[in-house]
Amino acid sequence: MGRLTTHVLDTASGRPAAGLALQLWRLDDGEPPVLVSQCNTDADGRCPAPLLEGDALRPGRYQLVFQAGEHFRRQGTALPEPAFLDEVVVRFGVAEAERHYHVPLLLSPYGYSTYRGS
């Protein structure tokens, strides 16, 4: 059964990004984006359940929107206004819905990286 998960690590503090809000949107050609899932990360920087799984995970294009600026402000990190990274948007495609898609985010106030994990 396919599923979509994420994990956010705050590389500025060297800890998981606990309490970070994120949203998952489905992007269908010619249609407005559709919000399909959202969560706040737990103490380990993960959502408590897969963002999508089973029949809900369909082939197509998606985007994750991570509320980075809000997270760093809540942590007491001094940020310029406007913050360099406020929302981090990661667009990706799902070709094989029966597979596990894991989208980790390594995050700091001034940079991020992501990849397809396992």
Side-chain angles (χ1 to χ4, degrees):
M1 175 169 58
R3 68 188 190 279
L4 172 64
T5 58
T6 190
H7 186 199
V8 186
L9 297 174
D10 178 341
T11 59
S13 69
R15 295 189 300 253
L20 186 139
L22 61 96
Q23 300 83 35
L24 174 67
W25 299 81
R26 181 165 171 86
L27 307 174
D28 290 319
D29 291 334
E31 300 292 327
V34 175
L35 179 65
V36 293
S37 185
Q38 57 188 342
C39 83
N40 289 340
T41 57
D42 63 16
D44 193 35
R46 300 176 188 272
C47 290
L51 295 166
L52 288 176
E53 64 182 327
D55 292 339
L57 181 61
R58 304 185 335 238
R61 295 182 318 118
Y62 295 86
Q63 77 179 15
L64 278 165
V65 180
F66 299 89
Q67 302 301 324
E70 175 185 297
H71 166 75
F72 287 116
R73 285 182 197 95
R74 197 175 57 258
Q75 300 303 315
T77 304
L79 297 176
E81 285 300 329
F84 181 70
L85 293 176
D86 191 34
E87 292 183 334
V88 173
V89 178
V90 178
R91 288 189 171 186
F92 60 96
V94 170
E96 301 170 277
E98 69 280 359
R99 308 279 313 258
H100 180 193
Y101 284 77
H102 183 65
V103 184
L105 184 70
L106 305 175
L107 181 63
S108 81
Y110 296 98
Y112 67 92
S113 66
T114 189
Y115 54 94
R116 181 176 174 190
S118 60

